[in-house]
Amino acid sequence: MLPTIMITEGGPHSAEAWAGVTAQQIIQVGETASGIPGAQARKLELRVIEILEAAHAHVQEHEQAALSEHGADRYDHPLDSGVHIDDPLAEIVAASQGTAYEAHFAKAEVQAYIRQVLGEHFATSMKIERDWHADRAVAA
Amino acid sequence: MATTAMAVSFKVELLSGAHCFMATQSGVSCAGTTGQFALTSLASTANLAVGMAVTGTGVAAGAVIASVDSSSQVTLSKAHTATVSSATFTGDVFKMLLIKASPTRTFDGTQTNVGTPGSGSPSATNVGTDETSGAGYTSGGVTLANVNPSNPSGATAITTFSANPSWTTASFSATAAVIYNSSGRLGGTTGRAVSVHDFGGTQTVASGTFTVVLPTADATNAILRIA
């Protein structure tokens, strides 16, 4: 599988861009998915993207606020992406309820996997905010 | 050009115990006495391996784990310089560098070392001038954060890295990435190639952010897998 390359001109990746990439690693709808399960899968995928866009935006805003408060000291703080995971995870699980995929998203191992993906992507987003902050400080 | 592949030399080195992908454990509570080599009272040594670098107040510079003695004790390679109450254990340092557009050689599983990135003729032992360059890119690439290897399902073992590699205020083009070990675990040789990852075409960023999003960390897709 090829790595996914994200490219954004002029600044960090948008929450919308992140949402699409993160969703791809959480839910994949086959091209031939059909009938009620197929429709539910596509609706669920869109709902997951909505949830993730809001979550990524929150992560970015939180990191920007922390950078405003702490300045360059923030670069040495741990990338504690874990604090941002519980709410979007709960929303994703809730979105799956009443669909053909409720049992899948209720599994502990599936939720652990989602935690890992969210943690990695949120941490990356936080680091990118810090790097841009540092870059702009040098340029100023 | 590039072909996604695990370096053949890496496979041999792995069987020789020459790569440690263990995740960093920071601020681990332990006990060490000045002049002694042992660290005792560890809660667990499950994810510690011989050769991992050890740092902390009272730990001698350059110390590594010489032996894992029990579930609560390790012995270091150098005597403590002062009382030790906590320590950080670090596996090998892996990095990802990028290959430029239209490289002169094909990067694949025959790559054994990254050599001197940015300098010299490209070969199986040197990425050389086939490394990408441009604003926001530092030769040698970026450091990856280890994640403990695991067996997510079936008979496949995997490892991945946390926090996907990214470059900011970046202006460059790249066609592939090479993951390599910058630590000198085997014979002191650094830069040993781990794997090559083709991007499927030239990827160009201009004054922006370039991120390599590592694939799903499962038995089918993880960036590094052994079946």
Side-chain angles (χ1 to χ4, degrees):
Chain A
M1 182 176 179
L2 296 176
T4 298
I5 306 299
M6 295 179 70
I7 294 173
T8 301
E9 311 294 355
H13 306 306
S14 67
E16 182 181 24
W18 271 117
V21 169
T22 305
Q24 274 185 325
Q25 294 200 3
I26 291 174
I27 179 169
Q28 296 94 34
V29 182
E31 289 181 2
T32 57
S34 61
I36 293 176
Q40 288 182 342
R42 290 186 172 84
K43 289 180 188 176
L44 180 57
E45 182 183 34
L46 289 174
R47 179 66 187 124
V48 167
I49 290 173
E50 275 184 354
I51 292 167
L52 292 174
E53 184 172 351
H56 273 292
H58 172 76
V59 169
Q60 291 174 327
E61 289 161 8
H62 182 273
E63 191 60 29
Q64 289 161 14
L67 286 163
S68 290
E69 179 180 353
H70 299 286
D73 288 346
R74 179 64 179 170
Y75 307 160
D76 296 326
H77 295 188
L79 290 171
D80 54 345
S81 58
V83 301
H84 300 295
I85 293 175
D86 286 351
D87 287 349
L89 174 57
E91 289 184 67
I92 290 170
V93 172
S96 72
Q97 290 169 351
T99 75
Y101 310 99
E102 177 175 349
H104 171 75
F105 284 96
K107 292 179 184 175
E109 61 267 32
V110 171
Q111 293 185 19
Y113 168 75
I114 294 173
R115 279 191 175 278
Q116 180 185 345
V117 173
L118 295 182
E120 288 174 8
H121 289 199
F122 290 164
T124 306
S125 180
M126 292 166 67
K127 184 175 185 308
I128 288 172
E129 291 292 333
R130 295 179 187 187
D131 288 349
W132 273 101
H133 183 273
D135 293 346
R136 287 163 177 155
V138 168
Chain B
M1 276 190 62
T3 302
T4 297
M6 185 176 282
V8 175
S9 57
F10 167 75
K11 298 176 187 177
V12 175
E13 293 162 0
L14 199 58
L15 294 175
S16 305
H19 296 275
C20 178
F21 288 89
M22 294 297 197
T24 296
Q25 295 185 50
S26 301
V28 177
S29 178
C30 56
T33 303
T34 307
Q36 301 296 307
F37 292 77
L39 288 177
T40 62
S41 304
L42 287 133
S44 172
T45 58
N47 290 316
L48 298 180
V50 170
M52 289 180 79
V54 188
T55 56
T57 301
V59 176
V64 299
I65 296 177
S67 63
V68 180
D69 307 317
S70 71
S71 61
S72 62
Q73 177 175 309
V74 297
T75 296
L76 304 191
S77 58
K78 297 184 177 183
H80 311 315
T81 58
T83 299
V84 182
S85 61
S86 74
T88 293
F89 300 92
T90 307
D92 289 357
V93 178
F94 294 89
K95 303 185 76 171
M96 173 183 283
L97 61 76
L98 301 179
I99 301 298
K100 72 179 185 182
S102 304
T104 59
R105 77 176 249 100
T106 297
F107 290 89
D108 56 21
T110 62
Q111 196 71 27
T112 62
N113 201 295
V114 296
T116 53
S119 175
S121 299
S123 68
T125 59
N126 188 23
V127 169
T129 53
D130 273 347
E131 185 186 27
T132 196
S133 62
Y137 185 86
T138 300
S139 182
V142 298
T143 299
L144 305 171
N146 295 0
V147 173
N148 286 331
S150 64
N151 164 228
S153 66
T156 301
I158 71 164
T159 195
T160 186
F161 302 96
S162 65
N164 303 283
S166 61
W167 291 260
T168 57
T169 318
S171 294
F172 57 73
S173 294
T175 55
V178 177
I179 295 176
Y180 67 99
N181 190 339
S182 69
S183 301
R185 176 179 291 268
L186 182 65
T189 302
T190 61
R192 288 170 287 116
V194 173
S195 56
V196 174
H197 302 273
D198 180 40
F199 290 165
T202 300
Q203 307 287 335
T204 300
V205 61
S207 303
T209 305
F210 186 102
T211 299
V212 179
V213 181
L214 301 179
T216 306
D218 62 23
T220 304
N221 300 297
I223 192 76
L224 295 174
R225 311 183 299 281
I226 298 176

